[in-house]
Amino acid sequence: MYKPQGEAALADTFIDIAAFHDLAPDQHDFRAAVIEGLSRPAKAIPCRFLYDERGSTLFDQICELPEYYPTRTEIAILRENAADMARAIGPEAQLVELGSGSSAKVGILLDALDRPAGYVPIDIAGEHLLAASRRIQAAHPALHIEAICADFAQDFDLPANRGSGRRVGFYPGSTIGNLEPGEAVGFLAGWARRLGQGALMIVGVDLRKSASIVGPAYDDAQGVTARFSLNLLVRANRELGTNFEVANFRHRAVYNEDTGQVRIDLLSLVDQVVTIDDRNFGVARGEALHVENSWKYTVEDFQALADSAGFRPMEVWSDQRTLFSVHLLQAR
Ligand code: AVI
């Protein structure tokens, strides 16, 4: 059984969920990714490694920033349209949340649903996941909660459906935008298969808009987003024994209005050498270590993408300023 430590061990100690499956990939995966990423001519580390416990906490702080519009806009869309969503979903649904984080948004849906039967939150940050699952359990005592600590891109079996209702994938936050558009098709196609024919999926997707709005959202005045990106180096130093000099890197986020891509790099401020397992990698002044992309879509482009992945677009909800969109899809 997974043993929480630190803050999560203290939080909601008396509430238990039905099951906690620990399928988190081991450190080998991170080590291999860093070595492979530093060996490339264009250095890069996959963005899934941004989410250790501190990274997840920093991401929660990003969601509260005045510049970071996606979270509050999506929450407003969910609140405004939860009754519509609940009607489309029907009674006794089992919600499967991909990258549940602090599970703040799913509560809106759970409150609106008719007797939701099951909740399967999936997240890579174990302590975060357990604490959030317990909070949801406290608010919904009858709900059967099976948490899965995993990278939701991994291959694993979902717990059996509870109740007689529909299975519904819930993928908020525009996390889909952190995949390359081609990868997003493959990813959604995999979830269409895993959720099963007729299942629904609710996906939050950030929309294309002016750089004057997107730019500050990824480079905020308080520097929280910069700390979030740079934490990848802190994590590598702690977990892999690398010697990244964090102060020698700078967070840089660039939004391309023509393509819809936000590209986030850590720029080296000096010529330096990074060592991992006795292997040295030279990093030149001005050289970029790519850590994340965040793609923005038009409603039509995302619907076409979902369609090519085997999902029929059913409904889309947005806000007045069309900053963000929430899509209801059905697996064909
Ligand atoms: C998780 N994901 C949707 C965030 C985004 O907006 O792409 C990650 C993030 N990176 C920097 N700020 C937020």
Side-chain angles (χ1 to χ4, degrees):
M1 177 58 186
Y2 178 84
K3 292 258 190 313
Q5 290 162 3
E7 235 178 86
L10 302 173
D12 303 313
T13 317
F14 300 107
I15 296 149
D16 239 329
I17 58 172
F20 187 100
H21 306 283
D22 191 358
L23 311 177
D26 61 24
Q27 286 318 318
H28 182 70
D29 192 34
F30 185 30
R31 185 175 297 279
V34 171
I35 291 173
E36 203 265 316
L38 291 177
S39 307
R40 292 198 212 169
K43 296 183 173 51
I45 299 177
C47 67
R48 67 177 184 278
F49 296 108
L50 290 165
Y51 299 90
D52 62 350
E53 293 299 330
R54 179 162 180 263
S56 298
T57 301
L58 284 166
F59 180 64
D60 284 349
Q61 290 174 17
I62 288 176
C63 294
E64 304 282 328
L65 291 170
E67 296 95 332
Y68 195 72
Y69 61 87
T71 308
R72 62 172 177 277
T73 310
E74 185 178 41
I75 287 175
I77 296 170
L78 290 171
R79 287 213 176 104
E80 197 152 310
N81 300 286
D84 260 13
M85 295 177 191
R87 250 191 311 279
I89 290 170
E92 294 188 40
Q94 168 165 290
L95 286 188
V96 178
E97 184 170 9
L98 287 59
S100 48
S102 55
S103 290
K105 294 167 191 163
V106 79
I108 301 169
L109 212 48
L110 285 169
D111 285 344
L113 283 174
D114 178 9
R115 291 164 291 133
Y119 175 48
V120 181
I122 305 167
D123 205 282
I124 192 75
E127 296 193 6
H128 226 61
L129 173 65
L130 188 61
S133 303
R134 286 175 162 166
R135 275 198 301 275
I136 295 284
Q137 190 74 82
H140 298 270
L143 194 64
H144 182 94
I145 302 184
E146 287 197 42
I148 302 181
C149 182
D151 174 353
F152 53 78
Q154 266 173 252
D155 199 17
F156 52 82
D157 291 330
L158 288 175
N161 214 358
R162 314 286 302 185
S164 59
R166 279 201 166 109
R167 194 174 247 172
V168 184
F170 184 51
Y171 191 30
S174 202
T175 309
I176 190 100
N178 297 130
L179 297 173
E180 295 306 289
E183 288 170 357
V185 175
F187 175 81
L188 283 181
W191 275 94
R193 272 194 303 277
R194 193 182 281 181
L195 292 168
Q197 195 183 16
L200 299 176
M201 182 121 176
I202 293 180
V203 188
V205 182
D206 198 11
L207 296 175
R208 301 263 293 252
K209 63 185 74 64
S210 146
S212 63
I213 299 176
V214 179
Y218 291 87
D219 198 3
D220 60 284
Q222 295 170 56
V224 181
T225 312
R227 284 201 286 286
F228 171 70
S229 304
L230 289 163
N231 179 56
L232 190 57
L233 308 183
V234 178
R235 177 182 184 182
N237 287 347
R238 187 183 63 243
E239 294 183 13
L240 310 178
T242 49
N243 63 339
F244 282 109
E245 198 59 66
V246 179
N248 286 343
F249 289 87
R250 178 173 77 79
H251 162 90
R252 179 183 66 182
V254 179
Y255 177 56
N256 182 334
E257 270 186 26
D258 297 328
T259 62
Q261 180 195 28
V262 179
R263 183 190 163 91
I264 300 179
D265 294 303
L266 296 176
L267 273 195
S268 179
L269 299 174
V270 295
D271 289 331
Q272 50 187 322
V273 175
V274 176
T275 305
I276 175 167
D277 293 346
D278 298 330
R279 295 176 65 169
N280 293 330
F281 295 93
V283 187
R285 179 163 180 254
E287 192 176 346
L289 174 59
H290 182 50
V291 293
E292 193 179 34
N293 284 329
S294 189
W295 287 89
K296 314 301 171 193
Y297 291 94
T298 63
V299 165
E300 296 70 29
D301 285 350
F302 182 73
Q303 287 184 330
L305 187 154
D307 189 65
S308 67
F311 277 109
R312 190 149 46 96
M314 306 286 286
E315 182 75 78
V316 58
W317 297 275
S318 187
D319 55 293
Q320 270 189 348
R321 295 172 66 200
T322 57
L323 295 175
F324 200 91
S325 59
V326 176
H327 295 250
L328 177 69
L329 311 171
Q330 182 163 38
R332 274 199 296 266

